[in-house]
């Protein structure tokens, strides 16, 4: 099942890893105190400020137009970049979001692809998908659909998606190679992958690697640029470009109270393309 | 879920097509129903408008 190159997954079995991630994100989805958090007024124990996740969206690369165009409740500040900006979406395209959460990136993508396009969000956490579904009505987005599914076993037919996006999710998977293979299968020939995720820049100390919170906070499961490149190439992708974002240290260093995690990980844009002919 | 998205969903296990059995519909939206794999026969529920296409071993753990 698991693949050797996933450094961070070595200390945990795959099922346990999925369960941890699911429980953590179910808690986040059902925590109402999160709306409007990280503005200095949220003092609750479970608020994202205390857990040091939940980043200001404009720091991640979203414009104020982006954040204002989507109704409250979809943007949980859990990403590490702006996949829509990377993806360069065009009207009429079909977009698949891996780990869509409350739907923020899906709603932004829906604006780009317009009424002729469509956006499918897949997430394995029931509480997140319910939240996202509630947000469909708030955003008047009939071309966005959410479904419960696992990114390692995508419920999406072969060659029917123009663009796969994902925001700070693939690091959480214990089987990243399988995620990339599934994305490749779902993409049309010539289709593209546009992902924002954290990548490992230095070996994690054992204390960080074994810490379950460190896994669910997108650190312990991160892979190196070389590993991700190899996994993408193995899946069949070409034109692979992984670009670390140097300014991401500013928000990653705020993800943990005790440690400066920017010493170990950096946010990166990950782009690749399914070749037109194989 | 909307019926016109049927063409791009598939069984998460063997990637074959799914047949839709509608139990309750609300305008264009299927609120309750079942998606059945035409190949392996696995059934995936549609609950509150959300298709649950998690693999069976993952689905059993979920409260929904």
């Amino acid at each position: 099942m698991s693949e050797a190159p996933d450094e961070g997954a070595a200390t945990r079995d795959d099922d346990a890893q999925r369960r941890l991630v699911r429980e953590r994100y179910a808690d986040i989805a059902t925590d109402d105190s999160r709306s409007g958090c990280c503005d200095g007024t949220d003092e609750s124990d479970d608020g994202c400020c205390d857990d040091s996740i939940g980043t200001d969206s404009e720091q991640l690369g979203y414009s104020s137009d982006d954040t204002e165009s989507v109704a409250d409740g979809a943007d949980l500040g859990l990403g590490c970049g702006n996949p829509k900006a990377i993806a360069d979406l065009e009207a009429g395209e079909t977009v698949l979001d891996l780990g869509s959460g409350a739907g923020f990136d899906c709603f932004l993508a829906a604006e780009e692809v317009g009424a002729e396009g469509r956006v499918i969000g897949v997430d394995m956490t029931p509480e997140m998908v319910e939240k996202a579904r509630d947000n469909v009505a708030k955003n008047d987005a009939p071309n966005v659909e959410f479904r419960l599914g696992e990114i390692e076993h995508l419920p999406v037919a072969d060659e029917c998606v123009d663009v796969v996006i994902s925001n700070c999710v693939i690091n959480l998977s214990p089987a990243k190679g399988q995620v990339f293979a599934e994305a490749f299968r779902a993409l049309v020939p010539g289709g593209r992958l546009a992902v924002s995720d954290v990548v490992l820049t230095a070996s994690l100390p054992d204390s960080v690697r074994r810490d379950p919170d460190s896994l669910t906070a997108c650190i312990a499961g991160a892979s190196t640029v070389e590993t991700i490149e190899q996994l993408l190439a193995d899946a069949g992708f070409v034109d692979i470009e992984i670009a670390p974002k140097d300014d991401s240290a500013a928000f990653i260093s705020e993800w943990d109270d005790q440690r400066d995690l920017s010493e170990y990980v950096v946010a990166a844009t990950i782009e690749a393309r399914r070749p037109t002919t194989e | 879920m909307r019926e016109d998205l049927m063409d791009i969903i598939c069984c998460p296990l063997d990637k074959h097509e799914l047949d839709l059995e509608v139990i309750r519909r609300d305008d264009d939206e299927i609120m309750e129903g079942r998606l059945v794999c035409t190949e392996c026969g696995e059934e995936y529920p549609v609950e509150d408008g959300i298709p649950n296409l998690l693999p069976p071993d993952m689905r059993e753990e979920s409260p929904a």
Side-chain angles (χ1 to χ4, degrees):
Chain A
M1 277 291 284
S2 75
E3 290 137 74
D6 282 8
E7 301 92 340
T11 53
R12 210 173 277 111
D13 83 46
D14 292 358
D15 287 344
Q17 178 163 344
R18 289 197 183 90
R19 205 160 33 245
L20 276 171
V21 169
R22 235 178 165 192
E23 284 167 6
R24 174 72 187 119
Y25 285 84
D27 284 350
I28 294 171
T30 50
D31 180 4
D32 291 336
S33 67
R34 287 187 59 84
S35 55
C37 85
C38 294
D39 58 6
T41 58
D42 187 302
E43 298 293 326
S44 79
D45 288 335
D46 299 324
C48 72
C49 308
D50 301 304
D51 292 337
S52 302
I53 59 171
T55 304
D56 180 73
S57 294
E58 287 175 39
Q59 215 176 346
L60 298 180
Y62 295 99
S63 69
S64 56
D65 283 350
D66 286 338
T67 50
E68 283 163 19
S69 69
V70 175
D72 283 354
D75 179 13
L76 301 182
L78 299 174
C80 60
N82 177 0
K84 182 203 79 174
I86 312 164
D88 202 13
L89 300 172
E90 287 174 25
E93 287 187 317
T94 297
V95 180
L96 172 65
D97 184 7
L98 307 182
S100 41
F104 185 56
D105 289 313
C106 289
F107 296 121
L108 289 175
E111 291 173 15
E112 303 285 314
V113 299
E116 297 299 307
R118 49 191 179 179
V119 182
I120 301 115
V122 173
D123 202 288
M124 68 168 175
T125 309
E127 292 82 354
M128 276 294 179
V129 176
E130 280 164 36
K131 202 177 177 85
R133 204 187 114 71
D134 291 344
N135 287 328
V136 170
K138 283 198 239 172
N139 286 286
D140 186 26
N143 57 344
V144 181
E145 280 253 328
F146 295 98
R147 59 206 45 174
L148 261 171
E150 214 188 354
I151 59 175
E152 296 89 347
H153 295 98
L154 281 175
V156 179
D158 296 359
E159 301 187 10
C160 66
V161 169
D162 297 301
V163 187
V164 170
I165 61 170
S166 184
N167 196 349
C168 221
V169 170
I170 297 173
N171 73 79
L172 298 167
S173 169
K176 295 172 182 65
Q178 197 179 331
V179 174
F180 292 136
E182 278 286 86
F184 186 89
R185 181 186 60 77
L187 281 169
V188 295
R192 56 207 195 274
L193 179 86
V195 168
S196 170
D197 208 344
V198 287
V199 297
L200 206 58
T201 52
S203 291
L204 291 170
D206 274 356
S207 62
V208 176
R209 201 190 342 216
R210 292 213 188 92
D211 180 357
D213 291 339
S214 173
L215 168 75
T216 60
C218 299
I219 305 300
S223 298
T224 61
V225 168
E226 292 73 23
T227 300
I228 296 169
E229 272 172 354
Q230 187 61 52
L231 292 172
L232 284 166
D234 290 348
F237 282 101
V238 295
D239 298 343
I240 299 164
E241 279 184 45
I242 302 177
K245 293 193 296 185
D246 296 334
D247 57 353
S248 67
F251 60 84
I252 288 177
S253 61
E254 292 171 14
W255 283 2
D256 191 298
D257 292 340
Q258 270 87 49
R259 309 175 265 247
D260 182 359
L261 295 171
S262 66
E263 291 175 24
Y264 309 111
V265 294
V266 63
T269 59
I270 300 168
E271 293 175 86
R273 197 170 54 78
R274 177 171 173 161
T276 315
T277 51
E278 283 154 44
Chain B
M1 62 166 278
R2 293 201 324 276
E3 203 163 350
D4 59 355
L5 276 118
M6 280 298 293
D7 61 332
I8 58 172
I9 67 178
C10 72
C11 177
L13 298 178
D14 58 27
K15 316 299 177 190
H16 281 85
E17 284 179 27
L18 300 167
D19 277 339
L20 173 66
E21 296 171 15
V22 180
I23 298 171
R24 187 165 65 83
R25 196 186 280 271
D26 191 351
D27 293 328
D28 288 346
E29 179 140 30
I30 292 127
M31 298 303 292
E32 308 288 334
R34 255 192 307 273
L35 295 158
V36 183
C37 179
T38 53
E39 178 71 16
C40 69
E42 186 64 43
E43 292 187 13
Y44 301 91
V46 181
E47 295 161 324
D48 292 329
I50 300 171
N52 185 339
L53 292 158
L54 286 167
D57 59 324
M58 295 273 297
R59 209 176 337 141
E60 278 151 25
E61 290 172 30
S62 70

